[in-house]
Amino acid sequence: MVSVEDRIRQLKKEKNAVILAHNYTTGEVQALADLVGDSLGLSVEAARTGADLIVFCGVTFMGETAKILSPGKTVLVPEPDARCAMAAMCTGEQLREYRRAHPGCVIIGYVNSTAEAKKEMDVCCTSSNVVKVVESVRGREALLVPDANLGAYAAAATGVPIAAWDGFCPVHHGITASQARALKGKHPDAFVMAHPECRGEVLALADHVGSTESMLRVAGTSEKREFIVLTEVGMRHRLERENPGKAFYFCEHAVCTTMKMVTPESVLDSLENGTGEVVLSSDVIEGARGAVMRMIDLA
Ligand code: 13P
Ligand code: SF4
């Protein structure tokens, strides 16, 4: 009998497909992917891939971003109900209202947002390039949506005053400073890395703040042997595999259940039957494309 993994490999070749997976997906899903990375790296790959079919393992906004960047390709998300909780905290209608009240304001949108909201944004960013994007609007009135923690982090890092929305990631916002301090107490020699979606008081305890991919780079090049990792626990797979002999400690409750919904079986179903196709109107694709392309240009 052919295994699920072998069948996926076979179909991938037959259909000229590429499988992209976010760093928070399960180890089994990461093992099937052609590229595992952070939101920015995966978006760049989605824009330049020569594949006809993109299977995006992650949450739905990632598949939508791939479709906006490559409208001529078929994009499949194996779990169409895997929606980022933070992305739901800011709608296109709310942004249209904000713009009416603040004409001239630059709306910076975290890529963790719906395509419908992206249509109303001037420029998108990820946790990798948020500082560069905020720098690029210095001197203008600006708003960053939907993550208040990311907005506060970027404003503090650049000195650029930006208004923030009141959205948050339940996984990262759920990591508290006292939990981080307890981990530091247990592992006093550990280097502390935190994702900018964490609360400001958690970021204040970190030695490095950055995207998931930046954490992998830092862990790979650092002389340190122990790391406290204040982000989603899916990061453990690559950190441990790529850094044998180094130890990584997490807040074990930091689990994004939607990222874990994708399974090898759902990837196979998508490849075999075309399930989970991302369908966006040309109006949304064209409206959102400029903001997403500006994000890629500032990669
Ligand atoms: P990265 O872009 O750092 O991979 O983060 C994505 C995300 O969803 C964080 O919660
Ligand atoms: Fe969304 Fe948070 Fe999950 Fe990232 S970890 S996909 S921001 S809910």
Side-chain angles (χ1 to χ4, degrees):
M1 198 166 115
V2 188
S3 69
V4 170
E5 289 73 15
D6 284 345
R7 185 79 188 113
I8 288 173
R9 275 180 211 108
Q10 206 178 327
L11 282 167
K12 222 171 60 167
K13 259 197 212 141
E14 278 171 35
K15 301 198 173 188
N16 188 25
V18 65
I19 301 181
L20 307 180
H22 188 266
N23 286 321
Y24 295 160
T25 55
T26 67
E28 289 169 290
V29 168
Q30 294 189 19
L32 295 169
D34 298 291
L35 181 73
V36 183
D38 68 357
S39 304
L40 190 61
L42 294 172
S43 300
V44 169
E45 186 58 26
R48 71 171 173 213
T49 180
D52 298 315
L53 177 65
I54 300 173
V55 181
F56 214 122
C57 305
V59 285
T60 51
F61 77 78
M62 298 181 167
E64 289 181 352
T65 307
K67 185 70 186 175
I68 292 164
L69 286 164
S70 293
K73 295 187 194 297
T74 302
V75 181
L76 305 175
V77 287
E79 290 292 344
D81 288 332
R83 295 197 183 86
C84 166
M86 177 163 57
M89 296 178 187
C90 176
T91 66
E93 183 48 40
Q94 286 173 312
L95 292 182
R96 282 190 288 279
E97 231 170 76
Y98 191 91
R99 205 183 274 289
R100 279 194 289 273
H102 301 81
C105 175
V106 184
I107 300 182
I108 304 171
Y110 193 24
V111 72
N112 295 39
S113 50
T114 63
E116 189 241 347
K118 284 188 177 77
K119 184 171 169 264
E120 310 304 327
M121 298 168 181
D122 296 298
V123 56
C124 289
C125 68
T126 73
S127 56
S128 270
N129 67 353
V130 62
V131 168
K132 244 192 204 175
V133 171
V134 168
E135 270 301 349
S136 76
V137 304
R138 188 180 283 280
R140 300 181 62 188
E141 183 193 355
L143 166 75
L144 191 144
V145 299
D147 190 8
N149 288 337
L150 186 80
Y153 159 73
T158 56
V160 174
I162 42 172
W165 205 249
D166 63 358
F168 62 95
C169 162
V171 178
H172 289 85
H173 199 68
I175 299 173
T176 64
S178 64
Q179 290 161 357
R181 267 191 224 101
L183 278 173
K184 276 169 80 104
K186 255 174 132 178
H187 309 287
D189 294 331
F191 185 87
V192 183
M193 304 193 286
H195 196 279
E197 287 175 18
C198 291
R199 296 160 186 263
E201 62 264 32
V202 171
L203 301 184
L205 299 169
D207 303 301
H208 169 76
V209 176
S211 76
T212 54
E213 204 60 31
S214 79
M215 292 180 189
L216 283 145
R217 275 195 301 275
V218 169
T221 51
S222 168
E223 299 284 294
K224 290 278 195 172
R225 313 301 299 165
E226 291 183 289
F227 299 83
I228 291 168
V229 190
L230 302 172
T231 189
E232 210 274 346
V233 298
M235 282 292 290
R236 177 175 274 130
H237 305 295
R238 282 186 64 199
L239 283 168
E240 290 186 349
R241 202 182 57 246
E242 295 173 18
N243 299 284
K246 293 187 180 179
F248 300 95
Y249 310 112
F250 287 80
C251 266
E252 296 299 337
H253 65 76
V255 179
C256 178
T257 49
T258 45
M259 283 280 190
K260 308 295 185 233
M261 285 167 72
V262 183
T263 61
E265 288 71 22
S266 57
V267 173
L268 177 58
D269 186 36
S270 264
L271 269 170
E272 216 155 35
N273 306 311
T275 48
E277 179 168 358
V278 177
V279 181
L280 297 175
S281 69
S282 53
D283 181 46
V284 167
I285 292 179
E286 277 148 34
R289 201 171 153 76
V292 176
M293 286 306 294
R294 266 166 234 128
M295 168 185 95
I296 300 278
D297 292 344
L298 288 165

